[in-house]
């Protein structure tokens, strides 16, 4: 397992760059990871989704799917795609310090 | 007398009824199965029918042929489940009470969830092979098709048999070659995933196979709507793909009645402990087969392995012992890759598919994650095994949990 330092904090990541320990995450890290994903600024609606995903993962143990996010956070699928373009479930999971969503098998 | 009610007499419901009738003391138990449909479909055959490999009569048999005499089969719709009262209400006016309930209502396609999909072009330029009627209609369509751009689109995951859409497009490649028209056909696979398959090693291998066959993959394509007259599909991020023939795998959802009873997640799948299949909410409700929300494939092979372990566990539980966390998510998927070959995947919750030989380490005869003719025969043999061994709840000479023996780390 690799580690990397983001905003002065050393965190564990997998080979696709997903953090593997959600407890190592903080909001500064989210801002930095968002930039790497091409999102220059995190708006209140971005945070609404991130907060929802953190909570959802804390109870279920896994990053939520798009459908879980839209039905639970009140953000429409269309808006979710404009907030986190191309693969929102994966992008949010990465920025929120959660593992890669299992989605389907 | 103790009462066990099983909802759904498809693959899982039939297998578990056959298994438990042999394991429980039937002087003390009543087992009732409920299903609305008198016909049992061999769903894996829906993949082959459109290419003329199977015909209509290969795809179904009457359900009663597979129900053991001591089990009562009621043909009715399940209208409501009341888990607080331990009761099930049926469309024929009957109410069943139970001590234990097994939910095995599977999953089905919902074209109406995607605007433009299940409308006036459904059955004309838009098809599916995920239902009996759909597979038959598509068979006719392909027979008379003159070529053009064929797009296979998976609306969302999870779907049952997640490899079937990939197999469909590889078999289509083969079919059009055989009919001397491959040069007139463009094949596109539009998927919400970021590659051909979920698991990295298998995704890479299958991705290479598709590109060798000249099949284009449009990844992370999350469909928002279809424009049936303009013949295009449009994604949430506003990408458009034109088609002449669209083969859709519409949204898969569990039974509505399960959702309405408060027993399902947002797709009506039942949250259960992934190792025991016991409901997270009710200590006398289990979910087996596609109806369960567990992170493994929705496939008949998974239901078989799960039920192999479930039988003993259920008997223990009803005798007052704790459930053992035995099920590991073990799945086998034979992937038809066309030209008489196939690939076999073997994996579980923790371990992604790896190359190797199966089921006997070093011997096979099936090769894992590698194309071979033997794997294709394995898939065709599966139909015989399904009707004669699996449904009847017999054991296979395969271990229900996955083994790392015979696999190579890559
Ligand atoms: C195209 C295709 C290819 C496939 N290929 C493979 C393969 O190669 N290998 C493999 O292992 N698996 C394959 N599968 C998957 C396999 O068929 C399913 O995983 C399996 O049938 C699941 O069994 P089940 O009992 O959970 O659901 P089902 O067998 O679908 O049974 C559900 C039953 O519940 C009944 N029901 C639902 N709601 C109600 C209600 N309200 N009232 C009354 N009755 C109700 C239905 O009538 C049905 O009989 C394939 C599936 C498809 C569609």
């Amino acid at each position: 397992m690799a580690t990397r330092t983001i905003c002065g904090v050393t965190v564990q990541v997998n080979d696709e760059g997903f953090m593997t320990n959600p407890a190592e995450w903080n909001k500064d890290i989210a801002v930095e990871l968002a930039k790497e994903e091409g999102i220059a600024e995190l708006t209140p609606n971005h945070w609404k989704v991130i907060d929802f995903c953190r909570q959802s993962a804390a109870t279920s143990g896994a990053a939520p799917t798009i459908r879980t996010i839209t039905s639970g956070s009140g953000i429409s699928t269309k808006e979710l795609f404009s907030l986190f373009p191309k693969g929102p479930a994966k992008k949010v999971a990465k920025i929120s310090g959660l593992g890669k969503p299992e989605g389907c098998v | 007398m103790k009462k066990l009610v099983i909802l759904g007499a498809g693959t899982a419901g039939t297998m578990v009824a056959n298994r438990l009738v042999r394991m429980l003391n039937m002087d003390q138990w009543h087992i009732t199965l409920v299903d609305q449909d008198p016909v049992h479909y061999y769903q894996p055959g829906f993949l082959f029918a459109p290419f003329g490999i199977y015909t209509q009569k290969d795809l179904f048999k009457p359900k009663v042929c597979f129900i053991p005499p001591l089990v009562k089969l009621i043909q009715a719709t399940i209208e409501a489940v009341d888990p607080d009262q331990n009761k099930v209400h049926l469309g024929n006016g009957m109410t069943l009470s139970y001590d234990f309930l097994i939910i095995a209502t599977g999953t089905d396609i919902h074209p109406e969830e995607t605007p433009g999909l299940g409308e006036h072009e459904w059955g004309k330029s838009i098809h599916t092979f995920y239902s009996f009627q759909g597979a038959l209609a598509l068979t006719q369509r392909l027979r008379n098709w003159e070529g053009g751009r064929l797009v296979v689109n998976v609306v969302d995951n999870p779907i049952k048999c997640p490899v079937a859409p990939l197999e469909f497009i590889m078999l289509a490649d083969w079919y059009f070659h055989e009919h001397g028209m491959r040069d007139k056909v463009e094949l596109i696979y539009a998927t919400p995933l970021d590659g051909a398959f979920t698991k990295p090693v298998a995704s890479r291998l299958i991705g290479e196979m598709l590109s060798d066959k000249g099949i284009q993959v449009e990844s992370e394509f999350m469909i928002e709507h279809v424009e049936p007259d303009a013949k295009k599909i449009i994604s949430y991020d506003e990408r458009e793909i034109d088609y002449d023939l669209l083969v859709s795998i519409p949204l898969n959802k569990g039974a509505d009645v399960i959702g309405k009873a408060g027993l399902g997640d947002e797709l009506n799948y039942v949250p259960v402990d992934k190792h025991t299949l016991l409901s997270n909410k009710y200590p006398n409700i289990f979910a087996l087969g596609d109806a369960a929300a567990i992170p493994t494939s929705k496939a008949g092979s998974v239901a078989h392995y799960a039920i192999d372990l479930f039988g003993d566990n259920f008997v223990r539980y009803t005798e007052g012992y704790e459930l053992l966390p035995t099920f590991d998510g073990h799945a086998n998927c034979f992937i038809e890759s066309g030209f008489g070959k196939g690939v076999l995947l073997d994996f579980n919750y923790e371990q992604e598919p790896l190359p190797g030989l199966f089921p006997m380490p070093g011997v096979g005869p099936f090769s894992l994650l590698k194309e071979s003719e033997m794997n294709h025969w394995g898939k065709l043999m599966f139909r015989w095994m399904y009707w004669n061994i699996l449904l009847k709840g017999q054991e296979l000479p395969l271990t229900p949990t996955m083994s790392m023996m015979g696999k190579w780390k890559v």
Side-chain angles (χ1 to χ4, degrees):
Chain A
M1 194 73 62
T3 59
R4 60 171 289 200
T5 306
I6 316 169
C7 308
V9 187
T10 303
V11 300
Q12 296 177 47
V13 290
N14 74 4
D15 51 5
E16 291 176 275
F18 285 83
M19 287 174 61
T20 53
N21 180 1
E24 292 174 343
W25 178 90
N26 64 39
K27 295 206 164 186
D28 295 333
I29 293 181
V31 172
E32 196 54 38
L33 289 174
K35 280 188 194 141
E36 289 174 13
E37 294 295 317
I39 301 168
E41 197 199 332
L42 292 175
T43 63
N45 272 353
H46 283 106
W47 284 112
K48 197 165 159 189
V49 175
I50 294 170
D51 289 343
F52 173 78
C53 292
R54 295 275 309 172
Q55 276 166 18
S56 166
T59 45
S60 75
T65 61
I66 292 183
R67 204 163 287 275
T68 314
I69 301 173
T70 53
S71 63
S73 70
I75 301 266
S76 73
T77 313
K78 190 88 190 166
E79 193 179 353
L80 191 61
F81 270 87
S82 69
L83 291 169
F84 301 93
K86 256 210 151 207
K90 220 170 72 182
K91 249 180 208 173
V92 185
K94 196 169 221 174
I95 296 169
S96 310
L98 307 169
K100 189 175 175 180
E102 279 171 344
C104 69
V105 224
Chain B
M1 289 292 257
K2 282 194 230 166
K3 285 180 262 177
L4 168 65
V5 172
I6 304 171
L7 303 181
T11 313
T14 306
M15 283 196 293
V16 77
N18 276 294
R19 188 56 74 92
L20 290 178
V21 85
R22 290 200 301 269
M23 299 180 80
L24 294 168
N25 177 353
M26 290 305 286
D27 293 333
Q28 292 169 13
W29 284 85
H30 262 308
I31 304 182
T32 309
L33 258 173
V34 188
D35 202 297
Q36 60 205 6
D37 194 335
V39 175
H40 191 116
Y41 295 102
Y42 178 60
Q43 299 178 41
F46 297 171
L47 168 70
F48 295 101
F51 306 108
I53 300 171
Y54 286 158
T55 60
Q56 187 171 342
K57 68 172 179 13
D58 295 324
L59 301 181
F60 63 90
K61 290 183 197 270
K63 279 202 165 95
V64 287
C65 301
F66 303 94
I67 310 301
L70 290 173
V71 170
K72 185 168 167 198
L73 174 67
I74 300 178
Q75 193 200 318
T77 55
I78 302 149
E79 291 287 320
V81 182
D82 185 348
D84 294 316
Q85 300 294 325
N86 297 330
K87 285 195 166 46
V88 177
H89 304 282
L90 306 184
N92 62 6
M94 278 172 84
T95 296
L96 304 174
S97 60
Y98 61 81
D99 297 295
F100 292 93
L101 182 72
I102 295 177
I103 299 171
T105 37
T107 178
D108 210 349
I109 54 168
H110 289 265
E112 75 286 357
E113 295 267 358
T114 306
L117 187 61
E119 296 170 13
H120 54 282
E121 281 294 313
W122 185 254
K124 293 179 186 151
S125 59
I126 307 177
H127 284 263
T128 189
F129 62 96
Y130 262 58
S131 68
F132 179 64
Q133 294 304 341
L136 298 184
L138 183 53
T139 310
Q140 289 220 327
R141 187 74 205 88
L142 286 184
R143 214 180 285 142
N144 309 311
W145 198 49
E146 280 143 20
R149 183 187 269 190
L150 191 160
V151 176
V152 174
N153 173 239
V154 177
V155 167
D156 201 355
N157 287 301
I159 55 170
K160 53 181 151 185
C161 200
V163 294
L166 287 165
E167 300 180 87
F168 181 88
I169 205 159
M170 290 194 279
L171 287 173
D173 167 64
W174 183 27
Y175 178 87
F176 295 127
H177 265 290
E178 294 285 306
H179 286 75
M181 56 187 283
R182 182 62 180 91
D183 56 338
K184 292 199 206 113
V185 177
E186 204 184 336
L187 294 172
I188 299 185
Y189 186 70
T191 169
L193 296 178
D194 60 3
F197 193 61
T198 43
K199 311 274 180 168
V201 178
S203 183
R204 223 177 304 138
L205 175 100
I206 297 166
E208 280 165 21
M209 283 169 52
L210 295 179
S211 89
D212 289 348
K213 292 177 194 292
I215 298 166
Q216 287 176 54
V217 178
E218 185 72 24
S219 60
E220 295 184 313
F221 188 91
M222 187 79 181
I223 189 172
E224 188 203 8
H225 70 282
V226 184
E227 284 181 15
D229 297 317
K231 294 195 172 42
K232 28 171 117 166
I233 54 175
I234 293 108
S235 67
Y236 279 103
D237 55 4
E238 286 158 17
R239 276 178 284 161
E240 297 189 355
I241 305 176
D242 295 318
Y243 61 81
D244 295 299
L245 178 58
L246 175 65
V247 175
S248 170
I249 293 77
L251 183 68
N252 279 211
K253 280 202 319 192
D256 273 339
V257 59
I258 299 305
K260 284 197 205 119
L263 287 163
D265 63 11
E266 67 275 6
L267 287 169
N268 299 335
Y269 299 126
V270 186
V272 290
D273 180 284
K274 67 179 183 178
H275 300 297
T276 65
L277 308 164
L278 178 67
S279 154
N280 292 350
K281 272 194 182 163
Y282 295 93
N284 61 341
I285 299 184
F286 293 87
L288 298 179
D290 295 350
I294 49 174
T296 185
S297 290
K298 295 196 181 299
S301 66
V302 175
H304 164 75
Y305 288 128
I307 289 167
D308 247 359
L309 297 160
F310 174 79
D312 284 324
N313 230 353
F314 181 76
V315 174
R316 269 177 66 87
Y317 191 58
T318 59
E319 289 169 351
Y321 298 98
E322 263 177 55
L323 290 164
L324 300 173
T326 41
F327 185 54
D328 66 350
H330 189 190
N332 289 152
C333 292
F334 279 103
I335 308 179
E336 275 297 304
S337 51
F339 298 90
K341 291 189 180 164
V343 178
L344 177 61
L345 305 183
D346 187 51
F347 58 98
N348 69 10
Y349 291 138
E350 267 78 46
Q351 185 55 57
E352 67 163 321
L354 291 176
L357 292 167
F358 181 86
M360 286 179 283
V363 178
F366 301 116
S367 42
L368 295 170
L369 211 53
K370 190 167 159 263
E371 264 193 306
S372 81
E373 285 176 14
M374 194 65 194
N375 290 339
H376 164 70
W377 289 111
K379 178 109 184 180
L380 295 183
M381 237 160 61
F382 188 68
R383 186 166 67 99
W384 185 88
M385 287 198 341
Y386 184 86
W387 293 121
N388 295 289
I389 300 180
L390 293 185
L391 277 190
K392 295 181 179 160
Q394 312 281 6
E395 283 171 41
L396 289 178
L398 300 174
T399 54
T401 48
M402 202 202 76
S403 161
M404 279 306 285
M405 302 247 295
K407 292 192 172 60
W408 302 306
K409 289 270 186 193
V410 284

